[in-house]
Amino acid sequence: METAGNQAREQTTTGAGEATPSVAIVIPTYNEEANIKRCLDSLARLDYPASRRQVVVVDNGSTDATVRIAGECRVRVVAEPAARVGGVRNRGVAETS
């Protein structure tokens, strides 16, 4: 059942009739198993059209469950194990459309 709240979140124009901009959220990670689910759950609850946002988790060689947990949250997860944080961020931007 679709609610008025869901309809508002999927709206692709602003109240002024302008197109809602697409956004990309890049999350660099390294051993963030304690935090990544809460972060991604919070992003999933944003009052912003899901069709106009993308979330990319870029993992920097985690040795914990970060990658598995992020994958379970149904976001794009890419690996960039050898880069410093700037390179990890840049990889995330390169992975967006």
Side-chain angles (χ1 to χ4, degrees):
M1 177 176 195
E2 187 162 298
T3 65
N6 288 339
Q7 290 171 343
R9 278 190 283 280
E10 291 304 317
Q11 182 179 340
T12 58
T13 58
T14 65
E18 300 168 353
T20 302
S22 293
V23 297
I25 303 162
V26 176
I27 305 169
T29 62
Y30 178 77
N31 290 341
E32 290 291 339
E33 73 179 358
N35 303 305
I36 193 66
K37 182 162 178 21
R38 186 176 65 231
C39 174
L40 295 174
D41 285 349
S42 178
L43 292 173
R45 290 189 305 270
L46 284 175
D47 187 17
Y48 202 85
S51 63
R52 306 297 290 165
R53 67 175 183 241
Q54 31 181 331
V55 177
V56 179
V57 173
V58 186
D59 185 68
N60 195 213
S62 294
T63 58
D64 64 2
T66 300
V67 171
R68 179 185 56 79
I69 294 167
E72 291 171 356
C73 292
R74 298 170 54 170
V75 298
R76 184 163 187 173
V77 180
V78 295
E80 187 62 47
R84 293 187 181 192
V85 71
V88 173
R89 289 183 192 128
N90 289 341
R91 173 70 187 275
V93 171
E95 293 288 330
T96 64
S97 55

